[in-house]
């Protein structure tokens, strides 16, 4: 199976309905288990364990689980709405894929289906006394599962959808994407440095859709390039917005061309959707982090503390990304893949904060200290873009009313001697 199909299958399994459907099917199977196991049980076991009270237990279970399921759904919708208004709509997709919420809701729904099917089958008289024993035992086990799930669910609800918790989720998703790209910067292909010009002999393959690239099947592109005896230079990486005038890739002759490639086959290697995703697009995660900070800095919210918290998380993300890692193996030598641009990543992460926090001295100082720290952590990679972003933020910081505040911000900039080591009075993150 190609990586494109595996990725699509993985995306489907992240949906709430998949887990709910699986739990529902398991509940039906459990409710019918008594029909299969009844012949193997003693005749008088049902009277000993009290299986005659099963009807009432199932009735209570069905009514209570319906109420709990409805309550859980309303709570989740409220959390989504709160995250949309208080954090950013782009973070809601992470809440929709939250495994704890999906498991809790699926468990409650499965318990309701189990009780409903159990009552229906009991009314038919198919179980008999021995079948009731099996259903009784499964019901007791299900009640234990429900109690454990409800305890976890109550604990989870105390943080679900809140600003700090949602921001942490975005950080975790971004960290996974950055770590995957750090371990394999070219995704298994040949690295192509930013700014490398496409050869004149190359032929562009344009997109047939408009949307964002979410996944690229490099194995399929490698196989196609080997068949045709060419090289493929990628133009559209995960996160790129493509349209019918935008090249997805370029075909570069690498010797005698042995065959023609249908463009539809090449386009099929790209998964394009209406929105960006966190999985293979680290720049999207950085942009969402910056968006959280920008919303916190808006006059309606006026929460510079959240923006300072985001800057601390961005510092952690970039520092972890810059850590040394073993060289990645080249699995697709005929596919050339552009590397991430550090300057673009800094623009995604810091430019909105510099713009929206221009008049807040505590945010400007923390921004300059973050850039100074990154410049000190990995000078070859971060020094130039950090100084460029610092200069941009200093220019925006002219909006500060007091000359003393502007001087304090300038003193924290990466260009200032020792800026990365000197603590400041506004170090709150």
């Amino acid at each position: 199976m190609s990586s494109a199909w595996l990725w699509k299958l993985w995306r489907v399994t992240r949906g709430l309905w998949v887990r709910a459907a699986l739990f529902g099917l398991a509940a039906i199977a459990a409710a019918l288990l008594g029909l299969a196991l009844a012949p193997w049980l003693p005749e008088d076991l049902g009277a000993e364990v009290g299986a005659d009270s099963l009807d009432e237990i199932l009735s209570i279970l069905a009514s209570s689980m319906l109420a709990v399921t409805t309550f859980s759904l309303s709570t989740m919708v409220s959390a989504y709405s709160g995250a949309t208004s208080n954090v950013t709509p782009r973070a809601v997709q992470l809440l929709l894929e939250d495994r704890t919420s999906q498991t809790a809701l699926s468990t409650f729904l499965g318990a309701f289906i189990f009780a409903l099917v159990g009552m229906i089958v009991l009314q038919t008289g198919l179980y008999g006394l021995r079948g009731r024993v099996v259903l009784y035992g499964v019901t007791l086990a299900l009640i234990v599962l429900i109690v454990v799930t409800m305890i976890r669910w109550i604990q989870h609800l105390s943080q679900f959808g809140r600003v700090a918790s949602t921001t942490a989720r975005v950080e975790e998703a971004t960290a996974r994407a950055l770590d995957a790209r750090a371990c394999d910067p070219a995704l298994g292909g040949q690295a192509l440095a930013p700014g490398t010009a496409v050869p004149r002999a190359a032929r562009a393959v344009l997109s047939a859709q408009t949307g964002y690239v979410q996944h690229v099947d490099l194995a399929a592109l490698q196989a196609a390039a080997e068949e045709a005896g060419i090289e493929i230079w990628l133009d559209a990486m995960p996160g790129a917005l493509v349209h019918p005038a935008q090249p997805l890739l370029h075909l570069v002759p690498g010797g005698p061309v042995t065959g023609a490639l249908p463009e539809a086959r090449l386009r099929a290697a790209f998964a394009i959707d209406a929105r960006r995703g966190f999985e293979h697009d680290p720049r999207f995660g950085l942009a969402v982090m910056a968006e959280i900070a920008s919303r916190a800095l808006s006059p309606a919210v006026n929460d510079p503390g959240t923006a300072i918290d985001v800057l601390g998380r961005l510092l952690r993300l970039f520092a972890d990304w810059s850590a040394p890692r073993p060289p990645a193996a080249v699995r697709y030598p005929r596919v050339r893949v552009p590397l991430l641009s550090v300057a673009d990543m800094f623009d995604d992460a810091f430019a909105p904060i510099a713009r929206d926090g221009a008049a807040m001295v505590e945010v400007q100082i923390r921004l300059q200290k973050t850039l100074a720290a990154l410049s000190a952590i990995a000078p070859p990679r971060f020094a130039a873009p950090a100084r460029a972003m610092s200069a941009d933020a200093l220019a925006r910081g002219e909006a500060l009313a007091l000359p003393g505040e502007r001087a304090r911000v300038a003193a924290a900039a990466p260009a200032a001697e020792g800026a990365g080591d000197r603590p400041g009075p506004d170090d709150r993150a």
Side-chain angles (χ1 to χ4, degrees), residues 29 32-41 127 131 134:
L32 299 177
L33 189 62
L35 298 177
L37 297 182
W40 304 92
L41 299 177
Y127 272 120
V134 178

Side-chain angles (χ1 to χ4, degrees), residues 14 17 25 45 84 107 115 140 142 155 164 170 205 277 301 316 329 358 390 407 415:
R14 302 292 292 181
W17 70 271
L25 292 174
L45 185 59
T84 300
T107 300
L140 294 180
L142 182 60
Q155 172 64 26
V170 176
V205 176
V301 179
R316 182 162 51 246
S390 172

Side-chain angles (χ1 to χ4, degrees), residues 199-220:
R200 292 180 178 270
R203 177 169 66 89
V205 176
L206 304 181
S207 172
Q209 301 173 259
T210 299
Y212 292 97
V213 176
Q214 291 202 342
H215 176 76
V216 182
D217 188 351
L218 266 70

Side-chain angles (χ1 to χ4, degrees), residues 193-260:
T196 305
V198 178
R200 292 180 178 270
R203 177 169 66 89
V205 176
L206 304 181
S207 172
Q209 301 173 259
T210 299
Y212 292 97
V213 176
Q214 291 202 342
H215 176 76
V216 182
D217 188 351
L218 266 70
L221 294 178
Q222 171 70 19
E226 288 178 349
E227 290 180 16
I230 60 173
E231 282 190 348
I232 292 178
W233 288 38
L234 287 185
D235 290 275
M237 294 295 291
L241 175 64
V242 295
H243 49 78
Q246 170 71 36
L248 292 175
L249 51 85
H250 279 82
L251 305 179
V252 180
V257 178
T258 59

Side-chain angles (χ1 to χ4, degrees), residues 228-304:
I230 60 173
E231 282 190 348
I232 292 178
W233 288 38
L234 287 185
D235 290 275
M237 294 295 291
L241 175 64
V242 295
H243 49 78
Q246 170 71 36
L248 292 175
L249 51 85
H250 279 82
L251 305 179
V252 180
V257 178
T258 59
L261 281 176
E263 293 189 355
R265 177 182 175 184
L266 298 174
R267 293 191 184 103
F270 293 80
I272 299 174
D273 196 31
R275 58 183 177 85
R276 296 173 75 174
F278 289 91
E279 292 81 16
H280 304 294
D281 184 6
R283 288 185 58 187
F284 179 57
L286 296 174
V288 174
M289 295 286 291
E291 190 173 339
I292 295 172
S294 292
R295 180 160 297 204
L297 293 171
S298 66
V301 179
N302 192 24
D303 180 17

